Amino acid sequence: MFRPNRLKRLLREKRPARGAWLFMGSPAVTEALAPLGFDALIIDHEHSPGGLETAIHQMRAMAGTGTTVLARLSDNHPAPVRHLLDAGAEGLLAANLDSADAADRLVRATRYPPHGIRGAHYTVSRAAGWGAWSWEVAEFGEAETLTIGLIESVKGVDAIPDMAKVPGLDMLFIGPLDLSISAGVPGQYDAPAFKAVLDAAERRILEAGLALGGTTLPGLSAEMMFDRGYGFVTLGADVTFLRRGAGLALGQPG
């Protein structure tokens, strides 16, 4: 049946939420991770091999766990937004959001008219139980959908105050690797240039009243990030969990 968005509820209640990335395009791996207690899992559609049908199998693997189903888009074109939401994604992350216009296009793609351009396919969509929950999705679907933009460039950091004015944008999530590249210090998370732009991004997102999301970094644990005001923190990814576990089994340093 149509269900409330667990992650959105936690953010609304100012309770810390934890998640992980799914890069392997594997329903079996998703099925193994989903019951462990993550508040949300993110199906990656920017750097991963999986397509829409694979994503549906991953969503089925999460069914019954209460874990919020998120998906990352490579852009905010309306077609993949519509496909993933109609398939059952409960929230979307758009890569490299860097302007108010981009934020507005993203939000409009997730909303039905008159507030957006999403087609009203809830009479037959998987997200609506193939039509069984049409009324629930029509009435509550938009309110339960999480709309998230990734901040991955200095331009994006500069645009945060303007993007935050776009109604319907729920969260800005900081992507540290691309942001460090944009700042001229690739992967150097201790570099003053990266710390300065990270601090500016965090401050502007919190000042704007949006939920702040991010991923753990060396020397920056989830608990430390929650203390800094983050509402949603990813703890790793399926492939990194697998490699780390295998390395430990082989006696290699973590």
Side-chain angles (χ1 to χ4, degrees):
M1 61 182 295
F2 182 73
R3 64 183 189 174
N5 190 314
R6 172 178 175 176
L7 177 56
K8 195 159 191 175
R9 182 180 71 249
L10 291 173
L11 294 172
R12 188 165 52 243
E13 296 172 356
K14 307 296 184 183
R15 296 165 58 192
R18 297 165 177 83
W21 296 85
L22 300 173
F23 288 109
M24 298 176 69
S26 169
V29 171
T30 303
E31 189 175 36
L33 292 176
L36 296 181
F38 291 105
D39 298 303
L41 291 173
I42 307 167
I43 300 170
D44 183 74
H45 271 198
E46 184 182 12
H47 302 294
S48 300
L52 183 61
E53 290 187 9
T54 301
I56 290 174
H57 289 306
Q58 291 177 278
M59 293 175 195
R60 288 180 177 134
M62 291 186 228
T65 66
T67 307
T68 295
V69 178
L70 301 179
R72 173 163 68 173
L73 306 156
S74 59
D75 57 41
N76 59 0
H77 190 276
V81 170
R82 178 174 63 251
H83 289 159
L84 282 163
L85 289 179
D86 283 348
E90 296 168 302
L92 298 176
L93 297 88
N96 198 25
L97 215 63
D98 62 6
S99 71
D101 285 343
D104 183 65
R105 287 196 301 272
L106 172 64
V107 172
R108 285 177 54 77
T110 69
R111 300 295 191 267
Y112 298 116
H115 304 296
I117 59 172
R118 181 181 173 190
H121 197 56
Y122 42 74
T123 53
V124 292
S125 72
R126 179 180 183 274
W130 307 109
W133 316 317
S134 296
W135 179 85
E136 291 91 335
V137 172
E139 187 76 10
F140 305 112
E142 290 184 2
E144 294 299 330
T145 299
L146 262 173
T147 306
I148 305 167
L150 273 83
I151 301 298
E152 300 182 281
S153 67
V154 173
K155 181 181 177 182
V157 174
D158 292 339
I160 288 171
D162 289 332
M163 290 193 290
K165 296 176 184 177
V166 176
L169 187 64
D170 297 300
M171 179 195 298
L172 289 173
F173 186 106
I174 299 172
L177 180 55
D178 284 311
L179 184 57
S180 73
I181 293 171
S182 179
V185 287
Q188 300 174 48
Y189 302 127
D190 288 331
F194 174 75
K195 288 186 174 181
V197 73
L198 176 65
D199 289 345
E202 293 172 340
R203 174 174 47 80
R204 290 172 183 173
I205 294 169
L206 292 172
E207 287 177 350
L210 293 178
L212 170 60
T215 187
T216 55
L217 295 171
L220 191 59
S221 68
E223 294 307 320
M224 293 168 65
M225 295 178 72
F226 292 135
D227 289 341
R228 289 165 72 110
Y230 284 78
F232 177 54
V233 175
T234 55
L235 309 180
D238 50 5
V239 63
T240 55
F241 296 148
L242 178 61
R243 289 175 57 86
R244 188 181 304 128
L248 290 172
L250 290 166
Q252 299 171 0

